[in-house]
Amino acid sequence: MDQQARAAALVDVFVYVVVLNLFVEYLPGVVTETFTVSLLTAVLLKVVLEVVLLFKGRAVDRFRAAETLPGRIGAGLLLWLVLFGSKFAVLELVDLVFGDRADLGGFLAVSSLIVVLMAARGLVRRLLTPVDETGGRPAR
């Protein structure tokens, strides 16, 4: 992992800590016992969401590569399974690792949390991406 990727991962964790603690503050079902647990939960979320994004990318590639209707249906179901099942995976992992010290609520709360985490991550990354001389963002 190069320096820029490590910096982006660190910024992601900081963004996740902020978002997670806002959820803790405003949603009674989302609880972290201490700031340390919150920080460790954010690190766990970073790892899990990176794995989910990897699987999602593979499922999308399969969907795009499918040439038959059954192939597209199968790839679409795989994509749905990754997106839907990942929420349960997050809930179970947080429960397994932290027990009663962290609770991300139920399916709807964790789904909302993940959507906001991804949106905040994208926004912060966009804000931190340098702008070239013409005022546009450089191609990656």
Side-chain angles (χ1 to χ4, degrees), residues 11-83:
V11 169
D12 288 350
V13 170
F14 290 152
V15 169
Y16 288 10
V17 167
V18 170
V19 171
L20 177 59
N21 280 296
L22 287 170
F23 269 69
V24 167
E25 185 172 345
Y26 292 108
L27 287 178
V30 180
V31 177
T32 56
E33 199 171 85
T34 64
F35 180 76
T36 302
V37 172
S38 178
L39 180 60
L40 293 172
T41 303
V43 171
L44 179 65
L45 286 169
K46 170 66 177 163
V47 171
V48 171
L49 293 179
E50 289 301 321
V51 171
V52 168
L53 288 174
L54 178 73
F55 282 117
K56 177 188 160 218
R58 289 183 179 175
V60 167
D61 291 344
R62 272 195 151 167
F63 183 80
R64 289 181 179 152
E67 296 181 5
T68 65
L69 182 61
R72 282 198 177 257
I73 290 172
L77 287 173
L78 178 64
L79 180 60
W80 177 83
L81 180 65
V82 168
L83 295 175

